[in-house]
Amino acid sequence: MSLREALSGTALEAAPRLLGRRVTTRIGGVETAVVLTEVEAYEGAEDPASHAYRGETPRVRSMFGPAGTLYVYRSYGIHWCMNVTVGPAGVGRAVLLRGGRIAAGEEAIRRRRGREDHLTDGPGKLCQALGVTGELDGSDVFDGPVVVSERVEATGHVERTPRIGISKAVDRPWRFLLRD
């Protein structure tokens, strides 16, 4: 399935389709990549945990962009987090990229993270490892500085659990993990 096809429909449909895809960044002349192993779906106006729940504002404008737009925001004023929009423009649906397995640029990732372990197992850690900041908000994942691959590179079974790190709609099983 092509990336454009994977990003069509709802966030709930698109989220598991992103698992196993490579996310590559070219930041400051350095290439890094992960294979996605953890994502969460956010369904816009139908989802009280979504940043788009109350409609479009300047802060979440890119979340209302066409499928494949990168929505980057600060979590707790500290960590950058990135989402990929899905479905048609104007609906505010997105998939949070929560974690991945390092596929390229491990040394650069270690330098960016300033540590040797737990490098890409959380949305803030993932952004720091890949060099993603708010400057990339609104770019697209087809040919921007953050590219999501057209093909799936990993196999395994998909596990579905409730989302984590939120305070609303916590019981919805909209977190997807790729297990070997």
Side-chain angles (χ1 to χ4, degrees):
M1 173 179 291
S2 76
L3 180 59
R4 288 195 193 280
E5 291 170 320
L7 297 176
S8 66
T10 68
L12 200 52
E13 293 165 335
R17 296 175 189 161
L18 289 175
L19 292 173
R21 290 180 189 263
R22 182 184 283 239
V23 177
T24 304
T25 62
R26 288 176 189 83
I27 310 291
V30 176
E31 182 174 307
T32 53
V34 300
V35 173
L36 289 174
T37 58
E38 183 181 358
V39 297
E40 286 180 349
Y42 289 88
E43 289 292 358
E46 298 113 41
D47 182 1
S50 173
H51 290 179
Y53 182 64
R54 297 199 193 297
E56 187 174 336
T57 66
R59 178 180 182 241
V60 299
R61 182 159 289 126
S62 60
M63 197 170 176
F64 287 83
T69 301
L70 200 64
Y71 166 53
V72 182
Y73 68 93
R74 279 268 199 206
S75 176
Y76 302 109
I78 302 169
H79 307 288
W80 293 110
C81 295
M82 68 176 148
N83 295 257
V84 176
T85 61
V86 302
V91 297
R93 293 183 185 130
V95 176
L96 173 65
L97 308 186
R98 286 198 55 86
R101 180 180 41 77
I102 298 170
E106 186 168 349
E107 190 56 42
I109 288 171
R110 289 180 191 282
R111 273 193 315 276
R112 287 176 181 158
R113 292 279 298 124
R115 60 183 304 148
E116 297 294 315
D117 60 351
H118 297 283
L119 299 172
T120 58
D121 58 344
K125 295 174 188 180
L126 183 64
C127 281
Q128 185 180 25
L130 295 175
V132 174
T133 66
E135 294 175 8
L136 302 181
D137 182 52
S139 59
D140 79 65
V141 299
F142 297 102
D143 61 7
V146 177
V147 174
V148 177
S149 70
E150 283 291 320
R151 63 185 176 83
V152 174
E153 298 190 12
T155 59
H157 74 278
V158 175
E159 185 178 320
R160 193 171 169 172
T161 72
R163 298 176 291 191
I164 57 177
I166 58 173
S167 59
K168 297 176 182 166
V170 296
D171 58 332
R172 295 180 184 178
W174 291 0
R175 176 176 171 236
F176 298 87
L177 301 120
L178 182 63
R179 302 284 193 200
D180 291 331

